[in-house]
């Protein structure tokens, strides 16, 4: 669940997104749909016994009771209490680096999308139709014989071109080429100064390892990653028939290490105040003349642009200087290696295997490569996701689900409004601004009203060519919108995605069909569970509008400081307390949670659960005089917190966990559970938690922000 003001760099987006399920905190698709409910989740339940209700998809009331470990006191370790049974029994499949509810739903959706693709392949389709494009792209990806038969032929013209680059201008031109890697990346977002218009941004880029820390951290495991990366560079160059791969690998590594030193940290790069640096193309050309910006912008189709937001100016500037001091031969080798890397998964098996060995096995701890069709499904989801999504929602998203979600979202917003009105640390002026901002929130549920037009995309029976065509299409699709007003109807991902997000520039919260399933949302589950699960997710996304970065945007999505000094200080006091709590958690020996990197998500989680609990209380007072039925001896509040804890049950391989601690703005799932509940008074009451328990915090140390 990401805040998306820091958009992914679209230009030169890495090709291998086919493992999105394991690559992102949250990803791909969905399970078969819950049947439309016979009674809405918000229907009144009579007292004292609950009415007979249709069976929830998980357990009797929406929670996997067999996953609970009652041997542990809830107040000592709420993750173990809620999920201990599952944690003990479950083993991560060999082809995955992590497993949890997100992955599980993603795998279900993968299967659903596969069925759609298979159905499409059995029908005749008009050439140029979207069905033909999707079907052919999948078939080309699956045709490994053809990929093997083409061998190095697809690579050759491109590598020859790089080998012939002469002079600094030619190198700068290559850096501005979509399929190459370069020290900067480009993207297009709504302009934070006027969110009705788009603006171009430039950001640091150009590393083959996940983050600067991987080059610089003085720890044994990171040293091993570096050694393996060196070997990987050598392998890729060798496979492509490049001479002296070993010495070239060393020089490429040395260049990237210099770039890494110039890069900003992940925490700095999510600070909107620091990364919002608008400048003219002339100023950018002065900042880093080595990249020959006038020609580069022209090449990228951005020559009419008047302003560019430069996310990390010092990094771009330093990268230019590093490039200037690097020998042309090394720069050609760097471009050559990354070109191969960017296309490795659509080249013969040896490349694909080498890529897997390093990026999946070494960096994430995954044991075996995923089945090819699964990777193909993810390729389609990433490249032409909405084309499949249109069919997916017809099959898997009943209209009744949309209606119930509308109600849940409305209740969450109402609960938050009430909490803002009662908030005791904000002054009146700031409160009014916050209420104004809340009133402009736009929820989007299920699927987009307007779909991406894939007309300009050409697909053939050549997987290599298709990968490039998709990347070009995605970039051109952005560039063509640049001149016009911001299209508020676009979605950041297809509806089969298991995720949710907030975009502070547009003040939109988005919940795709993929996440609107058990255990997040089940129309037949007990309302307490729905409020604790999807309700807290909705609250989390609303909370992003008011987290440490989101609060810097106003109701129009503009960056504007609408906070009085006193409210600003009161907010910071609270977030510092919360940050100190998270900084004390050590998920891997020697690696604590980075409180600055995870601050926004932690605020989202805490606010989300508190907001959802208030919304659940509102619901109870509207239906049942404020009292929840007890089901199988479990109270309403207990079910609420179990709902939250069970959507975050997850396991990680250690390398994966290390990578996420370095780069992921979300805290590890265990801390999304225990780090939150110990700050919520209602949790103490629900489980009888006292000062004797390990997770106990004295009331004065519990953080309440929203
Ligand atoms: Zn989030």
């Amino acid at each position: 669940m990401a805040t998306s003001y820091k958009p992914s760099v679209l230009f030169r987006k890495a090709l291998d997104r086919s493992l999105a399920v394991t690559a992102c905190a949250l990803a791909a698709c969905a399970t078969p749909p819950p049947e439309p409910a016979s009674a809405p989740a918000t229907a009144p339940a009579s007292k004292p016994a609950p009415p007979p209700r249709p069976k929830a998809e998980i357990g009797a009331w929406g929670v996997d009771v067999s996953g609970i470990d009652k041997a542990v006191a809830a107040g000592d370790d709420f993750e173990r209490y809620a999920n201990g049974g599952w944690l003990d029994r479950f083993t991560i499949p060999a082809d995955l680096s992590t497993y949890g509810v997100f992955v599980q739903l993603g795998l279900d959706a993968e299967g659903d999308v596969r069925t759609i693709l298979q159905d499409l392949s059995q029908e005749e389709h008009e050439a140029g139709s979207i069905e033909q494009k999707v079907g052919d792209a999948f078939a080309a990806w699956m045709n490994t014989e053809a990929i093997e038969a083409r061998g190095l032929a697809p690579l050759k013209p491109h590598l020859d071109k790089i080998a012939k680059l002469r002079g600094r201008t030619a190198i700068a031109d290559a850096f501005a080429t979509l399929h190459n890697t370069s020290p900067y990346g480009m993207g297009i977002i709504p302009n934070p100064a006027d969110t009705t218009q788009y603006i171009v941004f430039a950001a640091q880029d150009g590393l083959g390892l996940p983050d600067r820390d991987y080059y610089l951290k003085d720890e044994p495991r990171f040293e091993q990653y570096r050694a393996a990366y060196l070997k990987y560079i050598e392998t890729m160059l060798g496979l492509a028939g490049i001479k002296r791969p070993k010495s070239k690998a060393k020089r490429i590594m040395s260049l990237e290490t210099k770039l890494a030193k110039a890069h900003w940290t992940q925490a700095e790069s999510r600070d909107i105040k620091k990364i919002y640096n608008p400048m003219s193309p002339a100023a950018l050309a002065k900042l880093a003349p080595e990249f020959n910006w006038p020609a580069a912008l022209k090449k990228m189709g951005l020559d009419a642009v008047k302003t560019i937001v430069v996310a990390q100016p010092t990094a771009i500037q330093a990268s230019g200087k590093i490039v200037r001091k690097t020998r042309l031969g090394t720069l050609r080798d760097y471009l050559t290696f990354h070109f191969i890397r960017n296309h490795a998964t659509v080249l013969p098996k040896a490349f694909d295997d080498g890529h897997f060995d390093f990026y999946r096995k070494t960096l994430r701890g995954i044991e075996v490569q995923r089945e090819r069709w699964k990777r193909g499904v993810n390729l389609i989801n990433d490249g032409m996701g909405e084309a499949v999504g249109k069919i997916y929602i017809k099959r898997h998203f009943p209209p009744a689900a949309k209606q119930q979600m509308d109600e849940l979202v409305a209740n969450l917003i109402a609960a938050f409004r009430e909490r803002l009105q009662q908030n005791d640390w904000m002054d009146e002026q700031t409160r009014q601004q916050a209420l104004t901002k809340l009133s402009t929130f736009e929820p989007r549920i299920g699927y987009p009203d307007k779909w991406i037009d894939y007309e300009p995309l050409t697909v053939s029976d050549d997987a290599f060519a298709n990968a490039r065509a998709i990347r070009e299409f995605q970039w051109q699709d952005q560039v063509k919108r640049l001149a016009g007003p911001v299209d508020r109807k676009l979605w950041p991902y297809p509806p089969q995605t298991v995720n949710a997000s907030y975009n502070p520039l547009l003040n939109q919260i988005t919940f795709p069909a993929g996440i609107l399933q058990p255990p997040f949302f089940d129309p037949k589950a007990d309302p307490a569970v729905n409020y604790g699960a999807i309700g807290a997710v909705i609250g989390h996304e609303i909370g992003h509008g008011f987290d440490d970065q989101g609060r810097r945007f106003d109701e129009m999505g503009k960056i504007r400081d609408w906070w009085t000094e006193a409210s600003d200080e009161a907010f910071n006091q609270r977030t510092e307390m919360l940050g100190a709590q998270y900084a004390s958690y050590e998920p891997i020996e020697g690696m604590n949670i980075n409180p600055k990197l995870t601050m926004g998500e932690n605020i989202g989680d805490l606010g989300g659960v508190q907001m959802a609990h208030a919304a659940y209380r509102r619901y109870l007072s509207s239906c049942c005089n404020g009292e929840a039925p007890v089901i199988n001896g479990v109270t309403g509040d207990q079910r609420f917190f179990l709902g939250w804890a069970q959507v975050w049950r997850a396991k990680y391989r250690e390398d994966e966990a290390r990578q996420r601690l370095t780069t992921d703005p979300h805290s590890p799932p265990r801390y999304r559970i225990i780090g939150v509940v110990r700050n919520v008074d209602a949790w103490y009451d629900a489980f009888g938690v006292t000062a004797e328990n390990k997770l106990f915090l004295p009331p004065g140390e519990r953080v309440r922000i929203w």
Side-chain angles (χ1 to χ4, degrees):
M1 290 161 215
T3 307
S4 46
Y5 71 82
K6 192 190 132 194
S8 55
V9 172
L10 273 166
F11 189 66
R12 273 187 310 268
K13 188 168 163 182
L15 175 68
D16 187 13
R17 300 288 312 282
S18 57
L19 272 163
V21 156
T22 56
C24 314
L26 330 154
C29 320
T31 39
E35 289 303 310
S38 55
T42 44
S46 66
K47 269 178 61 180
R53 58 167 57 251
K55 198 176 171 310
E57 218 156 287
I58 298 174
W61 32 272
V63 155
D64 171 18
V65 182
S66 75
I68 295 175
D69 180 2
K70 287 217 167 141
V72 180
D76 283 340
D77 185 340
F78 194 57
E79 187 209 22
R80 280 287 323 172
Y81 175 84
N83 299 322
W86 181 83
L87 288 167
D88 287 344
R89 281 193 309 269
F90 193 82
T91 308
I92 303 174
D95 65 342
L96 297 175
S97 59
T98 168
Y99 196 92
V101 168
F102 280 97
V103 178
Q104 175 202 327
L105 290 181
L107 295 177
D108 291 344
E110 249 175 26
D112 294 335
V113 172
R114 183 196 204 184
T115 307
I116 292 171
L117 293 172
Q118 280 170 339
D119 292 352
L120 287 179
S121 73
Q122 275 157 26
E123 302 154 14
E124 278 287 316
H125 300 289
E126 209 181 307
S129 68
I130 189 61
E131 290 84 359
Q132 173 264 315
K133 289 177 188 178
V134 169
D136 285 3
F138 186 68
W141 164 262
M142 292 303 290
N143 192 349
T144 49
E145 257 174 55
I147 293 173
E148 250 5 90
R150 286 190 189 100
L152 297 180
L155 267 184
K156 198 168 178 308
H158 303 286
L159 298 192
D160 286 352
K161 208 170 159 189
I162 293 173
K164 284 184 197 135
L165 293 174
R166 293 289 172 269
R168 304 273 157 184
T169 313
I171 296 284
D173 181 72
F175 282 154
T177 303
L178 185 60
H179 308 279
N180 290 338
T181 289
S182 95
Y184 61 84
M186 308 292 286
I188 293 168
I189 53 169
N191 184 351
D194 171 12
T195 53
T196 64
Q197 301 298 320
Y198 288 107
I199 197 162
V200 171
F201 77 91
Q204 65 186 22
D205 200 5
L207 304 181
L209 285 168
D211 178 68
R212 72 193 298 277
D213 281 6
Y214 278 73
Y215 295 84
L216 308 175
K217 220 168 189 169
D218 187 18
E219 274 174 31
R221 189 65 190 135
F222 285 85
E223 269 165 37
Q224 288 165 8
Y225 292 144
R226 289 193 281 274
Y229 183 50
L230 205 57
K231 189 80 204 146
Y232 165 74
I233 302 174
E234 191 187 330
T235 306
M236 288 289 127
L237 291 174
L239 285 171
I242 308 289
K243 295 199 181 76
R244 297 185 303 282
K246 195 167 186 164
S247 55
K248 286 179 178 170
K250 274 192 192 144
R251 286 197 288 270
I252 293 166
M253 184 71 176
S254 153
L255 168 59
E256 289 189 22
T257 306
K258 285 177 202 151
L259 293 173
K261 281 183 189 150
H263 271 206
W264 290 18
T265 64
Q266 296 278 341
E268 286 167 332
S269 294
R270 68 174 286 279
D271 185 336
I272 188 64
K273 269 194 183 161
K274 286 188 183 163
I275 62 174
Y276 182 66
N277 307 293
M279 58 179 84
S280 66
L284 179 57
K286 209 174 152 198
L287 180 77
E290 296 82 0
F291 296 122
N292 198 7
W293 288 102
L297 291 171
K298 187 156 194 252
K299 181 150 194 179
M300 292 182 268
L302 304 174
D303 38 333
V305 163
K306 301 246 176 344
T307 309
I308 294 161
V309 173
V310 181
Q312 303 96 349
T314 59
I316 301 277
Q317 184 179 39
S319 299
K321 288 183 178 152
I322 292 163
V323 164
R324 191 200 310 156
K325 284 186 195 147
T326 304
R327 290 178 44 232
L328 287 176
T330 304
L331 295 172
R332 283 192 293 266
D333 295 338
Y334 168 84
L335 284 161
T336 301
F337 157 66
H338 282 289
F339 187 90
I340 303 165
R341 178 179 81 96
N342 293 342
H343 296 83
T345 58
V346 283
L347 286 168
K349 190 169 183 300
F351 289 89
D352 191 30
D353 286 351
H355 197 77
F356 165 79
D357 273 344
F358 179 65
Y359 282 103
R360 309 299 166 201
K361 206 173 204 169
T362 305
L363 289 188
R364 315 195 101 111
I366 298 167
E367 291 161 17
V368 301
Q369 179 66 285
R370 306 197 71 207
E371 283 175 80
R372 196 157 179 93
W373 73 262
K374 294 180 181 170
R375 301 167 64 208
V377 163
N378 284 296
L379 191 83
I380 299 293
N381 280 337
D382 282 347
M384 286 181 263
E386 287 197 8
V388 183
K390 250 184 190 173
I391 306 172
Y392 175 87
I393 56 143
K394 275 188 200 135
R395 295 189 185 182
H396 302 287
F397 190 62
K402 188 156 183 156
Q403 208 183 320
Q404 289 193 31
M405 272 297 289
D406 284 340
E407 285 174 24
L408 267 161
V409 171
N411 277 346
L412 260 294
I413 289 180
F416 189 40
R417 188 178 304 120
E418 212 172 270
R419 287 174 76 83
L420 277 176
Q421 281 157 352
Q422 291 160 4
N423 177 308
D424 59 4
W425 57 264
M426 261 187 160
D427 53 43
E428 207 42 44
Q429 194 186 332
T430 314
R431 185 198 320 278
Q432 285 313 319
Q433 292 277 340
L435 287 165
T436 304
K437 178 165 180 176
L438 183 66
S439 70
T440 66
F441 261 66
E442 181 192 351
R444 306 191 299 175
I445 294 160
Y447 53 90
D449 296 329
K450 181 182 161 188
W451 300 86
I452 290 174
D453 176 14
Y454 294 95
E455 211 277 321
L457 174 64
T458 307
V459 170
S460 69
D461 61 358
D462 180 344
F464 185 91
N466 290 345
R468 296 168 61 79
I470 287 172
R471 199 187 287 155
E472 276 157 27
F473 167 77
Q474 288 180 329
W475 176 248
Q476 290 307 331
D477 194 52
Q478 299 287 309
V479 172
K480 81 169 187 225
R481 293 181 215 284
L482 192 52
V486 164
D487 189 343
R488 295 183 59 92
K489 293 203 159 86
L490 287 179
W491 274 43
Y493 34 63
Q496 61 270 34
T497 308
V498 183
N499 209 334
S501 61
Y502 170 66
N503 184 345
L505 294 166
L506 303 177
N507 224 7
Q508 290 171 326
I509 42 177
T510 304
F511 305 95
I515 199 170
L516 303 179
Q517 307 184 68
F520 284 102
F521 172 63
D522 180 353
K524 290 171 285 186
D526 175 61
V529 180
N530 278 332
Y531 275 93
I534 196 71
V537 168
I538 298 166
H540 172 106
E541 299 309 337
I542 297 172
H544 274 318
F546 302 88
D547 73 17
D548 63 323
Q549 301 306 320
R551 76 185 183 97
R552 304 190 187 285
F553 298 80
D554 69 8
E555 72 278 6
M556 299 302 291
K558 269 189 202 170
I559 297 182
R560 179 168 71 83
D561 192 359
W562 45 271
W563 292 65
T564 61
E565 220 170 286
S567 290
D568 189 68
E569 201 176 300
F571 178 86
N572 288 334
Q573 257 171 24
R574 281 161 177 78
T575 57
E576 271 161 32
M577 265 172 83
L578 188 67
Q581 286 180 16
Y582 279 83
S584 74
Y585 301 134
E586 187 180 353
I588 296 179
E589 214 191 309
M591 271 185 99
N592 286 55
I593 293 178
N594 179 343
K596 285 210 172 83
L597 175 61
T598 58
M599 181 61 83
E601 297 301 331
N602 298 336
I603 294 172
D605 283 343
L606 178 59
V609 168
Q610 287 174 329
M611 228 180 286
H613 188 260
Y616 176 53
R617 291 264 140 221
R618 271 178 74 89
Y619 153 77
L620 286 177
S621 51
S622 74
C623 76
C624 333
N625 294 326
E627 265 182 62
V630 174
I631 303 178
N632 302 346
V634 187
T635 68
D637 276 2
Q638 289 175 337
R639 297 194 296 279
F640 173 89
F641 288 107
L642 283 169
W644 172 251
Q646 288 211 336
V647 296
W648 293 113
R649 72 183 190 187
K651 284 195 166 186
Y652 287 83
R653 296 184 193 281
E654 196 176 312
D655 294 303
E656 174 76 24
R658 194 175 284 110
Q659 184 168 148
R660 291 195 187 216
L661 277 172
T662 310
T663 60
D664 189 346
H666 304 88
S667 290
R670 170 174 169 77
Y671 302 92
R672 301 187 76 161
I673 302 171
I674 62 171
V676 167
V677 293
R678 60 197 306 227
N679 287 300
V680 184
D681 295 341
W683 173 75
Y684 288 80
D685 299 337
F687 293 95
V689 180
T690 68
E692 308 297 305
N693 292 115
K694 290 183 187 139
L695 291 176
F696 178 85
L697 283 175
E701 290 176 28
R702 294 174 202 165
V703 180
R704 179 186 153 164
I705 302 172
W706 300 117

